[in-house]
Amino acid sequence: MNTQSIYNGLDYTTKEINRNFKIKVNGIVNGKKVNVLVGVSGLIKIVGDIKLVNRLLKRAFNCYGDKEVCKLRRGVKITFYYQ
């Protein structure tokens, strides 16, 4: 049985992330335009790097505004909305 998970190496729990944020992804992913709300697994699949996801989450948790916007060089904008 495969016990590896896409969440290995994540600094925050998925419960903690989903409780505090709505995560919206806007831009071009795999050649298609997207403008959707995603969960933690969707964020990890779109970004593709757990270290980058941890940096984005750290930035979002340290922000004091209503939202935190992170723009990646590949044309994807990730917005963390506080609930």
Side-chain angles (χ1 to χ4, degrees):
M1 179 170 203
N2 189 2
T3 59
Q4 289 187 349
S5 173
I6 63 170
Y7 304 114
N8 287 343
L10 202 59
D11 291 342
Y12 302 95
T13 64
T14 57
K15 181 178 178 181
E16 185 178 19
I17 297 166
N18 287 329
R19 181 177 6 140
N20 289 312
F21 300 109
K22 295 279 187 198
I23 305 169
K24 184 176 181 180
V25 176
N26 186 355
I28 299 175
V29 178
N30 296 331
K32 295 183 180 179
K33 275 186 134 178
V34 294
N35 188 17
V36 294
L37 286 173
V38 295
V40 179
S41 64
L43 177 65
I44 293 171
K45 288 177 185 174
I46 288 172
V47 173
D49 182 20
I50 200 72
K51 290 181 182 180
L52 181 58
V53 171
N54 282 330
R55 282 194 316 211
L56 296 175
L57 288 170
K58 183 177 180 182
R59 183 174 162 184
F61 274 107
N62 289 332
C63 180
Y64 294 109
D66 290 338
K67 67 179 180 177
E68 178 66 21
V69 179
C70 304
K71 295 180 182 177
L72 302 180
R73 290 183 183 175
R74 58 187 96 152
V76 177
K77 181 170 72 170
I78 300 169
T79 308
F80 295 91
Y81 292 99
Y82 287 102
Q83 292 186 18

PDB file of all heavy atoms in Angstrom, residues 11 14 21 42 74 81:
ATOM      1  N   ASP A  11       3.901  22.601   6.120  1.00  0.00           N
ATOM      2  CA  ASP A  11       4.136  23.155   7.455  1.00  0.00           C
ATOM      3  C   ASP A  11       2.858  23.355   8.255  1.00  0.00           C
ATOM      4  O   ASP A  11       2.903  23.417   9.478  1.00  0.00           O
ATOM      5  CB  ASP A  11       4.868  24.493   7.348  1.00  0.00           C
ATOM      6  CG  ASP A  11       6.294  24.332   6.860  1.00  0.00           C
ATOM      7  OD1 ASP A  11       6.827  23.206   6.931  1.00  0.00           O
ATOM      8  OD2 ASP A  11       6.872  25.336   6.406  1.00  0.00           O
ATOM      9  N   THR A  14      -3.995  20.769   6.815  1.00  0.00           N
ATOM     10  CA  THR A  14      -5.009  21.134   5.821  1.00  0.00           C
ATOM     11  C   THR A  14      -6.244  21.706   6.512  1.00  0.00           C
ATOM     12  O   THR A  14      -6.888  22.600   5.974  1.00  0.00           O
ATOM     13  CB  THR A  14      -5.397  19.921   4.971  1.00  0.00           C
ATOM     14  OG1 THR A  14      -5.849  18.872   5.819  1.00  0.00           O
ATOM     15  CG2 THR A  14      -4.220  19.449   4.149  1.00  0.00           C
ATOM     16  N   PHE A  21      -8.693  30.183   5.191  1.00  0.00           N
ATOM     17  CA  PHE A  21      -8.614  30.804   3.866  1.00  0.00           C
ATOM     18  C   PHE A  21      -9.554  30.177   2.857  1.00  0.00           C
ATOM     19  O   PHE A  21      -9.842  28.995   2.907  1.00  0.00           O
ATOM     20  CB  PHE A  21      -7.194  30.659   3.286  1.00  0.00           C
ATOM     21  CG  PHE A  21      -6.124  31.292   4.097  1.00  0.00           C
ATOM     22  CD1 PHE A  21      -5.219  30.503   4.783  1.00  0.00           C
ATOM     23  CD2 PHE A  21      -6.005  32.656   4.182  1.00  0.00           C
ATOM     24  CE1 PHE A  21      -4.223  31.071   5.537  1.00  0.00           C
ATOM     25  CE2 PHE A  21      -5.006  33.246   4.933  1.00  0.00           C
ATOM     26  CZ  PHE A  21      -4.113  32.448   5.611  1.00  0.00           C
ATOM     27  N   GLY A  42      -5.638  21.063  -4.426  1.00  0.00           N
ATOM     28  CA  GLY A  42      -5.635  21.767  -5.707  1.00  0.00           C
ATOM     29  C   GLY A  42      -4.501  22.764  -5.814  1.00  0.00           C
ATOM     30  O   GLY A  42      -3.871  22.906  -6.860  1.00  0.00           O
ATOM     31  N   ARG A  74       4.980  32.293 -13.690  1.00  0.00           N
ATOM     32  CA  ARG A  74       4.418  31.532 -14.813  1.00  0.00           C
ATOM     33  C   ARG A  74       3.033  32.010 -15.208  1.00  0.00           C
ATOM     34  O   ARG A  74       2.336  31.367 -15.976  1.00  0.00           O
ATOM     35  CB  ARG A  74       4.399  30.047 -14.471  1.00  0.00           C
ATOM     36  CG  ARG A  74       3.611  29.719 -13.225  1.00  0.00           C
ATOM     37  CD  ARG A  74       3.760  28.284 -12.851  1.00  0.00           C
ATOM     38  NE  ARG A  74       4.802  28.141 -11.855  1.00  0.00           N
ATOM     39  CZ  ARG A  74       4.853  27.207 -10.958  1.00  0.00           C
ATOM     40  NH1 ARG A  74       3.937  26.284 -10.929  1.00  0.00           N
ATOM     41  NH2 ARG A  74       5.821  27.157 -10.096  1.00  0.00           N
ATOM     42  N   TYR A  81      -7.997  34.538   0.601  1.00  0.00           N
ATOM     43  CA  TYR A  81      -9.004  35.378   1.249  1.00  0.00           C
ATOM     44  C   TYR A  81      -9.229  34.870   2.667  1.00  0.00           C
ATOM     45  O   TYR A  81      -9.482  33.690   2.874  1.00  0.00           O
ATOM     46  CB  TYR A  81     -10.337  35.300   0.498  1.00  0.00           C
ATOM     47  CG  TYR A  81     -10.291  35.933  -0.884  1.00  0.00           C
ATOM     48  CD1 TYR A  81     -10.136  35.139  -2.015  1.00  0.00           C
ATOM     49  CD2 TYR A  81     -10.398  37.298  -1.050  1.00  0.00           C
ATOM     50  CE1 TYR A  81     -10.089  35.695  -3.270  1.00  0.00           C
ATOM     51  CE2 TYR A  81     -10.349  37.866  -2.304  1.00  0.00           C
ATOM     52  CZ  TYR A  81     -10.202  37.067  -3.421  1.00  0.00           C
ATOM     53  OH  TYR A  81     -10.147  37.613  -4.660  1.00  0.00           O
TER      54      TYR A  81
END
